[in-house]
DNA sequence: TCAAAAGTGTTCGGCTTACACCCATGT
DNA sequence: ACATGGGTGTAAGCCGAACACTTTTGA
């Protein structure tokens, strides 16, 4: 026999929350943080992720994602932007919320609930000063070993999400320089999605989407026939979208 | 000229977090909550969402989603389960995390960061006792007006997510009774996705997926030729998945 | 002249779409 | 007998997959 719906009595609820905000935190000992999965790419190579050396017991010696507590006066969605700016000197980074991780014991120092964001950058856009070389590192996705905290899970879910989004929206361009060749773009998809693509089919597809702009320039300093350079045209993409064309790869 | 990567000095970070967990909360005045977007369906009707009357200024008189603070001793992903059980007497509900909403001013009483989950139930599985009829209500998606807090945004994003997931995974069955007709299933898809489907194509598609089990029974108490009843076969679905067959509609 | 990658069309099969009539049941 | 939805097959078009050779450049 099904139970019936139990409403919290109207009088009880607001007071509860009121109490929370002045006193519940002491009881909860809970902090909110953000973890950033910064994916990076250099043409022709592997997909990488930016990691920091962790020096918190019991995770000393492991690598971790870049995280920070949320400031009392900032919107959740603003925190990653601040972190990119403060910690890596980056602005206008593409990022997207993935998921919030809140197991009780995910953090050794107490309850820290963390919202994961992934972001896409070119590796060259984050120069790592030499005195930090042993504490900050790009690691290939396939070579990431055990990470601190629950960061392996966070990385996994972020990668899954990145792959899904990459198939249904033109976000890959954020991993490439402004001007790129079709071969570079194809390799990007192959590397990130871990699939092989047919050159002719890939090019036909992109031509049909009509979201690239022929820069009119060619590759330089290359030991073979230089390729045309293209640029992603966001305005044209929006046009195509309105006409009902769906990006899909 | 690009800035170089700025690491937080190794000595500073752990202490910071340590301090947080004992004292930062008083400073932050931040609470974590969960909001549940409970989608419900009754064969042949519209997709609905369960709403509660809100009695918190300045939202008095508006409807809101079902939410609650997270308990200090429970995993984030466990909170919805507890809420379904405590507040609606429901167990074994399908639910999925959607997104976390954390704008500073989203809650009138202070900073409340809330993680949204959507869930799928049959409307008949939540009997609403008569003395609560004016405080708890199923509303058709299309008739939901202004909600309290940022709950319109939460509902929108949850619905988007539900629609996306419904197209790529066999989750619709959670909205239907154990045994259902193909017409009911088709109507479900049409109603939730707001599209029209061709009867013959729909049936062929489902036959090819081979994830339904013919119960061998027929509809009863119906004023026309009774339809066969089917049941979703989860094991068979997993088999098909392993063979590489992708659910898609 | 050689090496290396750029660039380019066509065919085939499978999936999606569109479409109309007879059947079984209750009243 | 009639009204109501249940149940079924076929043809056309589109899209994705497979596949090989010529061209251009630098060394």
């Amino acid at each position: 026999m099904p139970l019936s719906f139990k409403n919290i009595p109207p009088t009880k609820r607001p007071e509860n929350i009121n109490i929370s905000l002045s006193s519940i935190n002491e009881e909860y000992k809970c902090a909110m943080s953000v973890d950033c999965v910064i994916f990076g790419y250099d043409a022709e190579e592997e997909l990488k992720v930016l990691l920091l050396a962790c020096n918190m017991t019991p995770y000393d010696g492991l690598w971790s994602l870049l995280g920070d507590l949320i400031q009392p006066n900032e919107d959740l969605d603003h925190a990653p932007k601040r972190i990119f700016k403060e910690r890596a000197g980056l602005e206008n980074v593409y990022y997207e919320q993935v998921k919030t991780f809140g197991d009780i014991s995910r953090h050794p120092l107490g309850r820290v609930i963390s919202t994961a964001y992934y972001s896409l950058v070119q590796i060259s856009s984050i120069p790592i000063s030499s005195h930090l070389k042993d504490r900050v590192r790009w690691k290939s996705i396939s070579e990431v070993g055990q990470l601190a905290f629950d960061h392996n899970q966070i990385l996994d879910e972020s990668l899954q999400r990145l792959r899904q989004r990459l198939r249904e929206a033109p976000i890959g361009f954020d991993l490439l320089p402004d001007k790129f060749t079709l071969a570079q773009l194809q390799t990007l998809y192959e590397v990130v999605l871990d699939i092989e693509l047919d050159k002719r089919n890939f090019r036909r597809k992109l031509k049909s989407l009509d979201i690239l702009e022929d820069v009119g320039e060619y590759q330089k300093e290359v030991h073979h026939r230089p390729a045309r350079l293209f640029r992603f045209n966001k305005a044209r993409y929006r046009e195509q979208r309105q006409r009902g064309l769906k990006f899909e790869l």
Side-chain angles (χ1 to χ4, degrees), chain A:
Chain A
M1 179 151 116
L3 303 171
S4 55
F5 193 88
K6 293 166 187 159
N7 191 22
I8 295 284
T11 48
K12 202 171 153 201
R13 190 123 202 83
E15 281 76 1
N16 259 353
I17 289 193
N18 220 346
I19 289 166
S20 323
L21 294 182
S22 51
S23 72
I24 212 165
N25 288 303
E26 291 164 45
E27 179 194 337
Y28 273 52
K29 298 254 188 294
C30 164
M32 271 300 305
S33 72
V34 157
D35 282 308
C36 298
V37 182
I38 303 183
F39 289 114
Y41 185 74
D42 261 354
E44 319 304 321
E45 292 193 36
E46 255 187 291
L47 182 67
K48 299 191 174 177
V49 60
L50 190 69
L51 298 178
L52 272 62
C54 181
N55 54 6
M56 190 183 300
T57 310
Y59 297 121
D60 318 69
L62 296 182
W63 296 90
S64 76
L65 299 169
L66 173 59
D68 197 3
L69 291 172
I70 292 165
Q71 301 291 19
N73 61 340
E74 77 182 342
D75 291 343
L76 176 62
D77 275 328
H78 178 268
K81 201 178 287 193
R82 172 178 58 78
I83 295 172
F84 297 138
K85 180 96 183 280
E86 283 180 9
R87 308 281 293 277
L90 283 174
E91 298 194 69
N92 300 319
V93 172
Y94 175 86
Y95 66 97
E96 194 182 340
Q97 190 187 120
V98 177
K99 194 175 165 182
T100 297
F101 296 82
D103 277 6
I104 302 172
S105 56
R106 61 176 294 281
H107 199 291
L109 295 178
R111 176 134 209 200
V112 182
I113 294 177
S114 190
T115 300
Y117 288 78
Y118 78 83
S119 64
L120 304 178
V121 304
Q122 295 168 58
I123 287 182
S124 60
S125 68
I126 305 190
I128 298 173
S129 41
S130 59
H131 71 284
L132 287 172
K133 280 258 193 309
D134 56 338
R135 310 200 51 76
V136 180
R137 220 184 120 177
W138 288 104
K139 273 217 176 191
S140 292
I141 291 296
S142 58
E143 290 164 3
V144 170
Q146 195 198 338
L147 298 176
F149 314 103
D150 52 358
H151 286 187
N152 284 99
Q153 193 193 346
I154 294 181
L155 174 58
D156 283 353
E157 301 220 23
S158 298
L159 181 57
Q160 256 181 270
R161 185 71 144 268
L162 165 61
R163 284 177 170 156
Q164 189 192 324
R165 290 289 297 159
L166 190 63
R167 283 176 173 278
E168 63 193 28
I171 60 172
F173 307 105
D174 291 282
L175 290 167
L176 289 176
D178 182 48
K179 302 169 184 178
F180 50 84
T181 70
L182 292 176
Q184 286 172 335
L185 188 61
Q186 179 178 342
T187 305
L188 166 66
Y189 277 90
E190 292 180 327
V191 162
V192 176
L193 298 177
D194 195 23
I195 54 176
E196 292 207 337
L197 294 170
D198 180 272
K199 184 161 61 157
R200 282 174 286 192
N201 293 339
F202 181 79
R203 285 163 186 243
R204 183 177 24 257
K205 180 75 184 184
L206 266 126
K207 191 170 286 179
S208 80
L209 289 172
D210 192 28
I211 56 176
L212 295 185
E213 180 188 326
D214 188 338
V215 179
E217 299 173 27
Y218 291 83
Q219 246 181 340
K220 278 173 188 161
E221 296 165 20
V222 86
H223 293 202
H224 55 269
R225 172 174 176 183
R228 299 179 97 82
L229 293 174
F230 292 86
R231 181 188 283 133
F232 173 53
N233 189 323
K234 205 165 186 174
R236 215 185 281 180
Y237 168 61
R238 274 193 282 256
E239 264 180 55
Q240 299 298 350
R241 250 174 85 90
Q242 285 187 336
R243 284 188 212 160
L245 260 82
K246 196 169 83 179
F247 184 96
E248 196 170 302
L249 209 124

